[in-house]
């Protein structure tokens, strides 16, 4: 299962069989179909990724572009129907929630949290402390160490308090490391020193003791200098009783670099520390134009991420960073690359979508 494309193809046949076996002719789309027809929900529709995930013991989430959510009905229907958790792609970032100092704007984030509640989805909060998308008023040269510490404390306290009881997992600290395993040279490290990380977790925990608190980063899928540095940091934080509960592995892959086949080794070492894990921002970009071999490689990338999660007992969520290429962040950030999501611009599922469905189908009832 883990390494060959062949077994994925076998899984494909199994998935098709399962879906057809449960699709009863003439069944109505009434809500009580779920009970009568073995949990398939609406009669002819295949089970959603969220439903398949539920049976496999993992949430399948998506980052949500809240502008698309408001304006694009097909997008909204899929965001509601296909996933069991959501993450705000941008609207919970500091620059979005506090555009003027002391003036909060929670409206877009609140709408997303309301949408999730209505659809029975959990919310991943993203993100409290990051070096990007900070408000313009936060100017490093203008603040003393003591002021900046107060500003950060207040930001975390106000934001976590605002959403108290409504956020499942918070990405408290995002992208704190460089790829060589040293701490990133950010406003936070420069002014406050490495202790800002423990402080951020303690302050978030005080504001919502029930939220699960994550440290989140990219290029930490496999075992490497960065993931090892993070592993050492969270080990130390745990010994110091800092309330860090999980590690978020972003999962931004690119077909030209191959898939991180040692992901389970990496995730299991965090698991053994007693930490939860999640794949928080999965996408697999392709140099454009994409061809069918690259779509297969992309499917393999998504499959490796999902299998890493399923093989790790404490991994309870795989979130894709958007589900349609229409709104992907990739073309703007990586010129010449794109097609990174599991549905294309017309919501046609790619091989990656089938791989997720097949893998979840095969994992049903196993954890
Ligand atoms: C990205 C969003 O997708 C873009 O819309 C935005 O312009 C920049 O940020 N790692 C993260 C995410 O933790 O917050 C980033 O999201 C993608 C990389």
């Amino acid at each position: 299962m883990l390494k060959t494309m062949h077994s994925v193809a076998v899984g494909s046949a199994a998935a098709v069989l399962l879906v057809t076996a449960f699709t009863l002719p003439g069944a109505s789309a009434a809500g009580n179909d779920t009970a009568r027809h073995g949990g398939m929900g609406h009669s002819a529709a295949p089970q959603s990724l969220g439903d398949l995930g539920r049976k496999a013991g993992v949430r399948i989430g998506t980052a949500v572009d809240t502008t698309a959510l408001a304006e694009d009905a097909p997008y909204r229907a899929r965001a509601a129907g296909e996933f069991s958790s959501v993450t705000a792609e941008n609207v919970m970032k500091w620059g979005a929630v506090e555009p003027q100092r002391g003036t909060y704007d929670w409206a877009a984030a609140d709408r997303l949290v309301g949408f999730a509640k209505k659809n029975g989805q959990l919310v991943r909060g993203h993100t409290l402390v990051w070096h990007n998308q900070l408000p313009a008023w936060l100017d490093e040269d203008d603040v003393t160490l003591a002021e900046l510490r107060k500003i950060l404390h207040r930001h975390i306290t106000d934001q976590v308090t605002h959403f108290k009881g409504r956020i499942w997992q918070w990405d408290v600290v995002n992208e704190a490391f460089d790829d060589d395993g040293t701490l990133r040279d950010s406003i936070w490290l420069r002014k406050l020193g490495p202790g800002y990380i423990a402080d951020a977790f303690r302050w978030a925990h005080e504001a919502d003791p029930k939220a699960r608190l994550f440290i989140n980063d990219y290029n930490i899928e496999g075992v490497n200098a960065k993931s090892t540095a993070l592993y050492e940091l969270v080990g130390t934080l745990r010994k110091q009783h800092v309330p860090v509960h999980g590690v978020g592995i972003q999962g931004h892959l690119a077909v030209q670099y191959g898939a991180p086949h040692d992901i389970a080794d990496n995730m299991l070492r965090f698991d053994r520390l007693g930490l939860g894990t999640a794949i928080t921002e999965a996408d697999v970009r392709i140099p454009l134009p994409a061809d069918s071999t690259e779509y297969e490689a992309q499917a393999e990338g998504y499959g490796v991420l999902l299998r890493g999660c399923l093989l790790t007992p404490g991994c309870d969520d795989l979130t894709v960073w958007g589900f349609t290429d229409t709104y992907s962040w990739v073309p703007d950030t990586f010129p010449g690359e794109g097609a990174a999501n599991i549905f294309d611009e017309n919501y046609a599922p790619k091989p990656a979508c089938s791989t997720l469905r097949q893998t979840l189908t095969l994992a049903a009832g196993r954890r």
Side-chain angles (χ1 to χ4, degrees):
M1 179 61 220
L2 196 63
K3 289 209 169 111
T4 66
M5 294 299 285
H6 172 70
S7 47
V8 170
V10 172
S12 158
V16 171
L17 276 177
L18 270 177
V19 169
T20 35
F22 279 115
T23 307
L24 300 184
S28 81
N32 62 3
D33 277 358
T34 304
R36 283 190 279 128
H37 299 157
M40 272 301 289
H42 299 299
S43 57
Q47 295 180 82
S48 69
L49 287 167
D51 287 341
L52 292 170
R54 216 165 273 127
K55 291 178 184 168
V58 64
R59 298 242 166 202
I60 303 296
T62 184
V64 174
D65 175 328
T66 53
T67 306
L69 194 71
E71 294 171 0
D72 179 341
Y75 178 94
R76 187 159 58 245
R78 279 178 174 79
E82 195 71 64
F83 301 98
S84 51
S85 74
V86 294
T87 302
E89 184 173 356
N90 285 301
V91 296
M92 288 190 192
K93 291 172 181 173
W94 195 339
V97 298
E98 196 183 0
Q100 270 88 49
R101 188 167 181 174
T103 307
Y104 289 110
D105 180 359
W106 307 113
D110 281 343
R111 276 196 296 275
L112 178 61
V113 172
F115 172 86
K117 187 170 185 204
K118 198 173 97 196
N119 295 302
Q121 298 162 319
L122 295 184
V123 182
R124 300 198 76 263
H126 178 83
T127 177
L128 299 171
V129 188
W130 194 25
H131 61 281
N132 274 336
Q133 293 179 275
L134 290 168
W137 57 261
L138 185 60
D139 186 340
E140 183 168 3
D141 298 332
D142 287 355
V143 285
T144 64
L145 184 166
E147 277 165 351
L148 189 65
R149 200 160 182 273
K150 261 198 225 151
I151 289 171
L152 183 62
H153 185 188
R154 191 195 46 112
H155 164 66
I156 292 174
T157 304
D158 288 355
Q159 181 150 0
V160 176
T161 302
H162 177 80
F163 293 106
K164 187 175 179 183
R166 300 188 289 160
I167 298 292
W168 176 39
Q169 303 180 344
W170 269 114
D171 290 333
V172 175
V173 175
N174 195 33
E175 302 182 349
F177 284 92
D178 277 321
D179 283 352
D180 66 2
T182 57
L183 284 176
R184 179 187 294 275
D185 180 25
S186 68
I187 176 174
W188 310 117
L189 185 71
R190 281 191 298 273
K191 273 252 153 67
L192 308 181
Y196 83 86
I197 296 176
D199 284 339
F201 279 94
R202 291 196 180 102
W203 294 333
H205 187 63
E206 270 166 33
D208 186 352
K210 290 193 181 147
R212 305 220 313 131
L213 305 182
F214 277 61
I215 185 162
N216 193 51
D217 219 320
Y218 64 91
N219 286 356
I220 58 161
E221 291 71 30
V223 175
N224 57 36
K226 190 176 190 177
S227 62
T228 299
L230 178 59
Y231 173 74
E232 280 158 12
L233 173 69
V234 289
T236 305
L237 293 175
R238 296 282 287 183
K239 278 196 202 115
Q240 296 168 344
H241 305 290
V242 175
V244 51
H245 309 123
V247 172
I249 294 169
Q250 291 187 2
H252 293 295
L253 306 183
V255 293
Q256 65 273 29
Y257 306 133
H261 284 280
D262 58 345
I263 188 170
D265 289 345
N266 184 42
M267 292 183 73
L268 285 165
R269 63 180 172 160
F270 290 106
D271 208 73
R272 284 191 294 271
L273 283 181
L275 286 158
T277 46
I279 308 292
T280 55
E281 305 184 15
D283 58 14
V284 185
R285 57 188 189 270
I286 299 177
L288 296 173
D291 66 24
S292 58
T293 304
E294 288 165 322
Y295 281 124
E296 289 303 326
Q298 175 178 68
E300 177 65 2
Y302 275 98
V304 163
L305 294 173
L306 177 57
R307 292 184 314 251
C309 181
L310 291 171
L311 290 166
T312 306
C315 182
D316 49 15
D317 184 274
L318 179 144
T319 287
V320 293
W321 204 244
F323 53 92
T324 161
D325 291 340
T326 309
Y327 302 110
S328 171
W329 72 303
V330 168
D332 289 340
T333 312
F334 304 93
E337 298 178 49
N341 300 101
I342 61 174
F343 294 97
D344 71 11
E345 287 94 346
N346 301 312
Y347 298 109
K350 299 182 192 170
C353 191
S354 314
T355 294
L356 293 184
R357 299 179 59 81
Q358 290 152 15
T359 305
L360 291 169
T361 302
L362 290 169
R366 298 187 65 110
R367 67 199 309 252

